[in-house]
């Protein structure tokens, strides 16, 4: 029996949860939300430090692997993606980072009219409820939005103060929230500086998109949510999307949408679903025996991601390792968390971050991460924190110019797609990698960092010249899990997949609303701009459907 709805949303991740909330508020639309994964009611999802354990858990994670990447010495990268209610917002590091103004102005230049900074900034403001720690130590609430953004500096490890001291040694501001973006002054660019990370944490628990948007929406009778439902094909009638086929409990089902099908499966799975539906590059589709329903060459192309280079150091003073690097400390931290929702388990490991300029640049072109712990990933994918005290310094080029691609491995919806990152493919990206590495060298040599460094761990970045720095970056840099742009907005079908209202070029009744729609990657962590994009896109969906209903009367 075919199920009938007004709107169908594919994917209950960050974007899908926002859409489910906004499209059901009026009560007049029947909405179906499908999620390939299961429930997010899991301890390691809710505990902020628990993302180290969901990092490789196939119960909540697609656990994708990229193809060997020539730019990274043919290494194969691991690409975790949320396969659970809340999507990647249920397994990410909870950093809430808007991005920089020029990110969104560049979107507009790329053809996404109406997505410049002046347009999107009010949308960020409306989404957020910021819980800040004031100078007097008291908490101050700013904004009344559903996304809880918390300043956790009062609970962060004291060692993190050394990172801020090192930033001051570098001449960077340390009093600015990354999302506040004050005007540049004293030779500083807007957004430049290092501070404590703002996190999507509320009362000691992760605050995912499911918490912020889906749970309120579930109280409405016009929302239907299906879990463990994997979409296999979007159905077209001519050039209009009319519904989809999905598999649940081994059975194939169909559902129709009288208004729109909205694809929000993420930057890896959204292009895959389009391609499985015969929407994409005709030559590639024919290779896999898929009938071409709509030739759209840019589907899956334009992939961008952030690469980060991390170096670890042994510390001569206590870091998080002193607590979490032994069973007794872990037990005490666990007990404290159970009793108070405070302590090391209540705070993400990423504690300090910010933007900086490398030599010769006018705007911040790298993001820094500084963590008061050293650790490794075991062969089974689980985190292994060092017993000895250590810390991490990390730098990430913010705006890469290289573009990769998502393509089909086969016509079988159960097969993971091919992820081809194409890292460091441009001279500009290679030059930025070298400049970013120099910045890491400088940060490690500040008086503040030298004062707490007992030993530099191998490979030691300090003696490396430009050639060695580039090879070190190729050998050690890896994704920080921000894939985007694979169904990007743009001018037309020759340079993009979507128009500025996120409608698929050449088709009606079909949109893609998630990080794949970014024209270019933003400068920082991508969850906040994904939430913003979905909130604004939901308004466009409602506006367009109101107009079409009025026109039909």
């Amino acid at each position: 029996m075919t199920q009938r709805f007004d709107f169908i949303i594919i994917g209950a991740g960050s974007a899908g949860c926002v859409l489910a909330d906004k499209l059901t508020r009026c009560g007049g639309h029947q909405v179906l939300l499908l999620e390939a994964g299961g429930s997010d009611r899991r301890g390691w999802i809710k505990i902020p430090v628990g993302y180290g354990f969901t990092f490789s858990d196939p119960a909540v994670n697609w656990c994708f692997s990229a193809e060997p990447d020539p730019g990274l010495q043919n290494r194969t990268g691991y690409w975790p993606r949320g396969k659970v209610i809340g999507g990647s917002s249920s397994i990410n590091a909870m950093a809430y980072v808007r991005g920089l103004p020029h990110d969104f102005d560049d979107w507009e230049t790329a053809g996404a009219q109406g997505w410049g900074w002046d347009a999107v900034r009010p949308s960020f403001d409306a989404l957020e409820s910021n819980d800040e720690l004031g100078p007097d130590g008291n908490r101050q609430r700013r904004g009344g939005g559903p996304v809880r953004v918390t300043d956790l500096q009062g609970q962060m490890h004291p060692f993190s103060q050394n990172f801020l001291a090192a930033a001051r040694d570098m001449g960077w501001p340390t009093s600015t929230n990354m999302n506040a973006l004050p005007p540049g002054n004293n030779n500083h660019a807007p957004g430049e500086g290092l501070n404590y990370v703002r996190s999507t944490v509320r009362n000691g628990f992760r605050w995912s998109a499911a918490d912020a948007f889906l749970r309120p929406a579930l109280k409405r009778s016009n929302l239907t949510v299906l879990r463990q439902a994997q979409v296999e094909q979007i159905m077209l009638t001519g050039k209009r999307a009319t519904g989809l086929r999905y598999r649940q409990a081994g059975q194939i089902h169909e559902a129709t949408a009288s208004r729109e099908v909205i694809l929000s499966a993420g930057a890896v799975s959204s292009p895959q679903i389009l391609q499985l539906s015969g929407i994409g590059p005709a030559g590639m589709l024919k290779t896999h025996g898929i009938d071409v329903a709509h030739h759209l060459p840019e589907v899956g192309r334009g992939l961008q991601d952030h690469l980060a280079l991390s170096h670890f150091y042994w510390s001569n003073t206590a870091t998080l390792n002193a607590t979490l690097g032994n069973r007794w400390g872990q037990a005490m931290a666990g007990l404290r968390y159970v009793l108070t929702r405070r302590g090391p388990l209540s705070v993400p490991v990423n504690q300090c971050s910010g933007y900086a300029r490398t030599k010769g640049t006018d705007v911040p072109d790298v993001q820094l991460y500084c963590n008061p712990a050293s650790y490794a990933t075991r062969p089974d994918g689980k985190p292994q924190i060092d017993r000895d005290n250590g810390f991490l310094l990390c730098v990430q080029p913010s705006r890469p110019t290289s573009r990769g691609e998502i393509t089909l491995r086969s016509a079988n919806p159960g097969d993971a797609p091919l992820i081809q990152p194409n890292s460091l493919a441009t001279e500009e990206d290679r030059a930025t990698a070298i400049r970013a590495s120099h910045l890491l060298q400088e940060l490690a040599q500040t008086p503040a960092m030298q004062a707490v460094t007992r030993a530099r761990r191998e490979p030691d970045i300090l003696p490396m010249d430009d050639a060695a720095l580039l090879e070190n970056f190729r050998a050690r840099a890896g994704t920080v899990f921000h894939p985007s742009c694979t169904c990007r907005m743009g001018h037309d079908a020759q340079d993009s997949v979507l128009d500025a209202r996120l409608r698929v070029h050449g088709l009606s009744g079909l949109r893609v609303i998630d990080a794949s729609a970014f024209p270019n990657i933003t400068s920082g962590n991508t969850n906040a701009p994904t939430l913003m994009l979905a909130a604004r896109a939901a308004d466009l969906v409602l506006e367009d459907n109101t107009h079409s209903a009025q026109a039909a009367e």
Side-chain angles (χ1 to χ4, degrees), residues 200-470:
T200 47
V201 171
R202 179 179 183 237
N203 297 331
F205 293 106
R206 173 191 295 273
W207 189 249
S208 70
D211 297 313
F213 299 99
L214 185 56
R215 294 214 156 79
L218 285 171
K219 299 174 183 177
R220 304 174 191 136
S221 60
N222 58 328
L223 175 64
T224 300
V225 178
L226 297 180
R227 298 185 305 213
Q228 307 290 352
Q230 186 166 355
V231 172
E232 296 196 343
Q233 184 181 16
I234 296 169
M235 299 185 298
L236 300 178
T237 300
K239 294 295 183 180
R240 178 173 181 82
T242 55
L244 50 77
R245 295 187 181 93
Y246 65 93
R247 183 180 295 274
Q248 188 181 46
Q251 300 295 314
I252 296 294
H253 305 272
E254 291 188 359
T256 62
S258 62
R259 293 181 179 271
E260 295 191 19
V261 175
I262 302 173
L263 186 50
S264 300
V268 175
S269 294
S270 282
Q272 180 192 23
I273 292 171
L274 287 177
Q275 292 164 0
L276 289 169
S277 306
I279 304 167
M284 186 269 291
L285 299 179
K286 291 176 182 176
T287 297
H288 294 291
I290 296 173
D291 292 336
V292 179
H294 183 60
H295 172 55
L296 195 54
E298 291 302 309
V299 172
R301 296 175 183 167
L303 171 65
Q304 288 195 307
D305 186 25
H306 285 139
L307 291 173
L309 175 68
S310 299
H311 279 265
F312 290 98
Y313 302 82
W314 295 123
S315 170
N316 57 24
T317 188
T319 65
L320 268 173
N321 298 80
T323 302
L324 299 182
N326 60 84
R327 292 188 181 277
W328 174 253
Q330 293 167 3
M332 290 298 97
L335 179 63
R336 183 182 179 190
Y337 180 78
V338 169
L339 295 176
T340 68
R341 297 294 182 268
R342 297 176 69 86
L345 302 191
S346 70
V347 183
V349 174
N350 292 333
Q351 298 199 357
C352 290
S353 186
Y355 299 116
R357 290 175 291 167
T358 60
K359 187 175 182 180
T361 57
D362 296 325
V363 297
D365 60 336
V366 298
Q367 184 179 0
L368 296 155
Y369 302 92
C370 303
N371 297 348
S374 63
Y375 42 84
T377 302
R378 299 187 327 207
D380 63 2
K382 290 188 170 53
Q384 179 68 57
I385 191 163
D386 295 321
R387 295 184 63 86
D388 203 356
N389 290 308
F391 62 91
L392 170 149
L393 299 178
C394 175
V395 65
Q396 160 195 296
S398 288
R399 288 287 302 276
T401 57
S402 300
R403 298 262 185 183
E405 187 173 10
I406 304 290
T407 58
L408 294 178
R409 187 180 303 274
S410 77
N412 182 356
D415 289 343
L418 296 173
I419 302 171
Q420 299 165 317
N422 200 30
S423 304
L424 300 181
T426 67
E427 181 57 38
E428 182 176 346
D429 285 356
R430 293 188 288 272
T432 304
I434 293 171
R435 295 198 311 271
S437 300
H438 279 302
L439 197 71
L440 205 61
Q441 288 176 322
E442 294 173 28
L443 183 62
Q445 293 181 89
T446 58
M449 284 292 92
Q450 288 184 321
V452 295
T453 300
R454 188 179 82 244
R456 301 189 296 270
R457 294 172 64 171
E458 293 296 328
D460 183 2
I461 194 174
L462 294 192
M464 296 182 188
D465 61 13
D466 284 3
L469 289 172
L470 180 57

Side-chain angles (χ1 to χ4, degrees), residues 446-508:
T446 58
M449 284 292 92
Q450 288 184 321
V452 295
T453 300
R454 188 179 82 244
R456 301 189 296 270
R457 294 172 64 171
E458 293 296 328
D460 183 2
I461 194 174
L462 294 192
M464 296 182 188
D465 61 13
D466 284 3
L469 289 172
L470 180 57
E471 286 310 302
N472 180 62
F473 198 96
R474 290 187 189 278
R476 302 187 67 251
T479 174
V480 283
F481 322 118
H482 298 161
S484 58
C485 310
T486 51
C487 297
R488 63 194 182 281
M489 290 185 280
H491 295 99
D492 53 43
Q494 302 308 308
D495 68 3
S496 57
V497 176
L498 311 174
D499 66 15
R501 300 182 79 82
L502 298 113
R503 298 172 298 201
V504 175
H505 292 307
L507 297 176
S508 60

